[in-house]
Amino acid sequence: QHIQSTKTSAVLTRFRWINHRIPVFLKRGDVKQIYARGGVLEMWLIDINRQAVEVYRDPSENGYQTELTFVLDAEMSPIAFSDCAIAISQVFA
């Protein structure tokens, strides 16, 4: 029997957010692999406990080739909106 619980996820791809539910039984690595194989250009995982944002870019059949971690005092720019800087502290505000 599959676990019924789900978590909500949002993915920014080609200038729009895709919101969907991810089954809890999927592991982080599985989700990254699914998104990378699906060609999602950039995936964010928000780690509430560490107050950090993990960003995965450059998808391939083998997963994401670039992995970045941004902490509270950092700023980052999404691939789709490279001229827009996001303060990581605002993600947790």
Side-chain angles (χ1 to χ4, degrees), residues 73-92:
D73 60 348
E75 288 188 347
M76 59 133 338
S77 295
I79 290 174
F81 303 101
S82 59
D83 59 337
C84 175
I86 298 172
I88 299 305
S89 61
Q90 291 300 308
V91 172
F92 296 99

Side-chain angles (χ1 to χ4, degrees), residues 14-59:
R14 294 199 188 251
F15 308 109
R16 62 187 173 103
W17 285 99
I18 297 175
N19 294 300
H20 57 91
R21 299 178 73 76
I22 299 174
V24 169
F25 61 85
L26 285 177
K27 296 179 182 175
R28 175 187 303 224
D30 295 337
V31 173
K32 289 179 359 186
Q33 190 74 4
I34 290 167
Y35 284 10
R37 285 186 177 164
V40 175
L41 298 178
E42 180 172 63
M43 181 181 102
W44 296 9
L45 290 177
I46 298 173
D47 187 331
I48 296 170
N49 294 326
R50 287 184 13 214
Q51 291 194 321
V53 177
E54 298 175 16
V55 178
Y56 300 90
R57 296 176 175 166
D58 305 317

